[in-house]
Amino acid sequence: MSSSKTLLVLENFIAGKFVPCSSYIDSYNPSTGDVYCRVPDSGKEEVSTIQMYKKVEAAVRAAKDAFPIWSSKSPLERSQILNKLADLIEHDLEVFAQAESKDQGKTITFARTVDIPRAVYNFRFFASSILHHTTECTEMAAMGYLHYTSRTPVGIAGLISPWNLPLYLLTWKIAPAIACGNTVVAKPSEMTSVTAWMLCKLFEKAGISHGVVNMVFGTGSKAGEAIVCHPDVPLISFTGSTLTAQRITEKSAPHCKKLSLELGGKNPALVFDDADLNQCIPATVRSSFANQGEICLCTSRIFVQKGIYNEFLKRFVEETKKWKVGSPSDPTVDMGALISKEHLEKVTLHGVQLTSSFRGLQKVRNYVKKAQAEGARILCGEGVDSLALSAGNQKGYFMLPTVITEIKDESCCMQEEIFGPVTCVVAFDTEEEAIERANGVKYGLAATVWSSNVSRVHRVAQRLQSGLVWTNCWLVRDLNLPFGGMKASGVGREGAKDSYEFFTEIKTITIKH
Ligand code: NAD
């Protein structure tokens, strides 16, 4: 462990001020295994529950105090402030990208071209979209009545985000929440808090008044749950795992909170025999392994029609083997390090949460071992090829992109979200069969269809149980349109209109004239 003198020490950001915490947790650089920074553990040293909630209490109070002025600003004033904030992040894009890569293990290229530009765009997008919403009006002219709807901010928004796309997903929540006039208490993942802390340093310069955005760092069980249980936070926007969402739903139920839940996926790609493999193969390698396979939208089950199965498999493995794994700071590297040692020690088995004593049973790597034990074949990656790492990365959490085949649909590798660089390829005969098997999991987030038959593409897209369907492409987003999952992949949608509806309350007013 590095000397604590040289470590970055984060502080909570409450009412426009950085506030030290009495206890801290270590956050690691996944590519070296060294401690990168110390993150406030709001309440760890405190004994009583009431003490534990103090940091969150202060943040909620600050958000409450800031609400009357912020919510009464015009959309145009808020829009100008959001645009200013976007400019400030963009000005520091490289510094943010370096920090995100170090904190999360993702490649510097991914952070530079995806994470931070998207964080900038989130603010620009909602700065613009907030200016264009309209409400409804209907008349009962003969009876002398006029009805119209009015939208107002909900109040204090509790925003909780995961570690895989840290600033990208946190700003996807903060931007619409404050654009709509809410104030915020946010909690990023304890494993990737650095860029959220850096963002707080820009608020004042952008014109965001004190208390409008408060950032409380710490673990989910303490800081996160304190936000979820706080009676003065009427809305929770959460992105993370399905298991955590179940707990949040339970904890928020007594307060009847407004919930938006963006959860896990076990995303299928359906490759039909008329697919353009020159496009499909590189795109499916990317959709399986981008960001170390740590994107909720990553493909992890690839169904290939029998006529092209052998060709697909051969070319897919060849293309996967070209992916370079190594130091995230090397711009020629395609895949960096997985988030943490603990993530390698996956905590669910057949969908059941394991107690800590079972941790390590199901590492991301162990999913591969389990598949092997079941008779599946590992075509490349984990346990098959060797991984050469430079001296500085020997203690990092690296793994090769791994392709599994000859695996049953019931296998946990085909049913559970592994959230790592592991994908399974299996064959199918008919369209009907492909749809049924693609739908045969508890998740329903994102599917991909590859075919040059337009009728088929429409037909299959309609029948897939999936919040998003990409055909002959992957990860192309228009933020105007709804984002979210079906089944265990989520509740609610976010996007221009959907976020506006979620972050505001609607009222119907009737006037007798
Ligand atoms: P996680 O559920 O463990 O944690 C997510 C956030 O919730 C973290 O900030 C964590 O501290 C907090 N948290 C944990 N327990 C809590 C509790 N009891 N109360 C309140 N907050 C709590 O998820 P993760 O491991 O950080 O992220 C990976 C998961 O996120 C994967 O399942 C992935 O698919 C999902 N994800 C979904 C989307 C999407 O848009 N659908 C996007 C990215 C990631």
Side-chain angles (χ1 to χ4, degrees):
M1 177 174 149
S2 336
S3 137
S4 60
K5 274 186 195 157
T6 59
L7 283 180
L8 197 56
V9 179
L10 312 190
E11 291 176 328
N12 288 325
F13 186 74
I14 298 171
K17 290 194 174 57
F18 286 100
V19 187
C21 195
S22 58
S23 67
Y24 289 83
I25 39 183
D26 290 336
S27 179
Y28 293 82
N29 176 336
S31 71
T32 61
D34 294 331
V35 176
Y36 171 41
C37 69
R38 311 203 74 209
V39 178
D41 181 14
S42 306
K44 192 180 173 190
E45 301 298 324
E46 319 291 355
V47 271
S48 82
T49 312
I50 292 172
Q51 287 290 326
M52 187 179 99
Y53 282 67
K54 266 193 168 166
K55 290 287 181 302
V56 169
E57 188 62 57
V60 171
R61 209 176 320 117
K64 221 170 168 178
D65 292 347
F67 183 76
I69 292 179
W70 183 254
S71 59
S72 62
K73 282 189 191 296
S74 71
L76 183 59
E77 280 176 284
R78 293 197 294 261
S79 167
Q80 285 163 341
I81 291 170
L82 262 66
N83 274 321
K84 183 81 201 292
L85 184 58
D87 292 344
L88 291 168
I89 304 168
E90 194 167 48
H91 179 268
D92 291 346
L93 192 146
E94 183 58 23
V95 191
F96 271 102
Q98 293 284 352
E100 201 74 298
S101 168
K102 241 182 171 177
D103 204 15
Q104 204 274 343
K106 64 178 70 229
T107 65
I108 185 63
T109 310
F110 201 86
R112 263 183 203 140
T113 57
V114 179
D115 290 73
I116 311 305
R118 173 60 187 273
V120 171
Y121 188 60
N122 284 338
F123 284 108
R124 291 219 173 106
F125 178 83
F126 285 105
S128 166
S129 81
I130 194 62
L131 302 177
H132 303 292
H133 297 292
T134 54
T135 51
E136 295 161 282
C137 179
T138 62
E139 266 191 284
M140 288 175 166
M143 295 160 69
Y145 293 98
L146 175 78
H147 307 276
Y148 69 96
T149 58
S150 142
R151 283 198 174 265
T152 47
V154 178
I156 302 168
L159 312 178
I160 300 176
S161 57
W163 49 258
N164 63 323
L165 299 166
L167 195 66
Y168 173 133
L169 288 172
L170 184 67
T171 54
W172 172 239
K173 298 180 184 306
I174 294 177
I178 63 173
C180 291
N182 301 281
T183 55
V184 159
V185 178
K187 192 202 86 64
S189 168
E190 60 275 31
M191 287 187 269
T192 52
S193 295
V194 173
T195 49
W197 171 75
M198 289 165 65
L199 179 71
C200 296
K201 296 183 178 188
L202 303 180
F203 288 151
E204 188 152 13
K205 213 169 169 189
I208 295 179
S209 27
H210 292 178
V212 171
V213 182
N214 304 278
M215 202 77 73
V216 180
F217 299 102
T219 63
S221 56
K222 291 182 182 173
E225 217 155 281
I227 296 170
V228 169
C229 295
H230 201 292
D232 294 338
V233 178
L235 166 156
I236 301 290
S237 172
F238 168 79
T239 300
S241 65
T242 303
L243 276 170
T244 304
Q246 287 163 351
R247 174 133 184 117
I248 288 177
T249 306
E250 276 172 29
K251 289 282 167 184
S252 60
H255 306 279
C256 299
K257 297 196 180 200
K258 230 179 159 180
L259 290 184
S260 169
L261 306 171
E262 302 285 0
L263 315 177
K266 189 70 192 172
N267 308 308
L270 279 61
V271 185
F272 288 92
D273 54 12
D274 56 1
D276 176 350
L277 291 187
N278 290 333
Q279 287 197 26
C280 167
I281 288 173
T284 309
V285 170
R286 201 165 60 84
S287 74
S288 299
F289 305 121
N291 205 44
Q292 302 72 245
E294 296 168 333
I295 306 179
C296 54
L297 307 165
C298 274
T299 304
S300 54
R301 297 178 295 142
I302 307 172
F303 296 92
V304 185
Q305 202 155 21
K306 277 204 174 131
I308 55 160
Y309 181 72
N310 289 335
E311 183 193 353
F312 178 93
L313 206 55
K314 181 170 172 286
R315 289 175 59 184
F316 187 77
V317 170
E318 279 167 9
E319 195 71 22
T320 300
K321 284 186 163 189
K322 287 185 199 157
W323 267 46
K324 190 172 161 190
V325 179
S327 171
S329 60
D330 176 349
T332 67
V333 151
D334 300 292
M335 238 178 65
L338 271 72
I339 180 67
S340 66
K341 231 176 181 167
E342 290 72 30
H343 181 55
L344 287 174
E345 293 166 9
K346 196 80 180 166
V347 294
T348 65
L349 178 61
H350 302 309
V352 176
Q353 187 151 30
L354 301 173
T355 63
S356 55
S357 60
F358 287 101
R359 272 178 180 235
L361 251 189
Q362 279 291 58
K363 298 176 182 181
V364 174
R365 284 187 178 131
N366 279 356
Y367 270 105
V368 182
K369 285 192 192 127
K370 174 114 174 96
Q372 220 163 5
E374 288 170 357
R377 277 179 65 209
I378 317 303
L379 296 179
C380 64
E382 181 67 21
V384 175
D385 302 303
S386 53
L387 173 58
L389 292 169
S390 61
N393 297 119
Q394 294 293 327
K395 286 190 287 151
Y397 320 130
F398 293 90
M399 182 178 163
L400 285 166
T402 299
V403 181
I404 302 178
T405 189
E406 294 174 27
I407 186 160
K408 292 196 173 72
D409 287 6
E410 308 79 58
S411 164
C412 63
C413 289
M414 286 284 279
Q415 291 291 324
E416 296 178 14
E417 183 186 48
I418 300 174
F419 216 51
V422 179
T423 198
C424 301
V425 187
V426 292
F428 72 88
D429 264 321
T430 64
E431 186 179 305
E432 190 63 32
E433 176 198 341
I435 294 167
E436 193 179 315
R437 290 171 66 189
N439 287 341
V441 291
K442 68 175 183 177
Y443 294 104
L445 186 55
T448 315
V449 181
W450 292 90
S451 166
S452 53
N453 179 333
V454 178
S455 309
R456 165 143 65 199
V457 159
H458 282 292
R459 206 167 49 231
V460 174
Q462 289 289 340
R463 292 188 55 201
L464 286 170
Q465 294 167 352
S466 188
L468 301 144
V469 181
W470 280 295
T471 73
N472 299 315
C473 61
W474 178 69
L475 207 62
V476 183
R477 283 271 299 127
D478 176 346
L479 302 193
N480 283 297
L481 298 185
F483 177 94
M486 296 180 180
K487 305 198 291 190
S489 289
V491 176
R493 297 291 185 272
E494 294 184 359
K497 186 164 169 278
D498 300 85
S499 297
Y500 178 62
E501 288 175 358
F502 178 67
F503 285 109
T504 57
E505 281 290 10
I506 193 162
K507 192 181 293 172
T508 300
I509 299 171
T510 301
I511 309 284
K512 184 173 182 339
H513 52 82

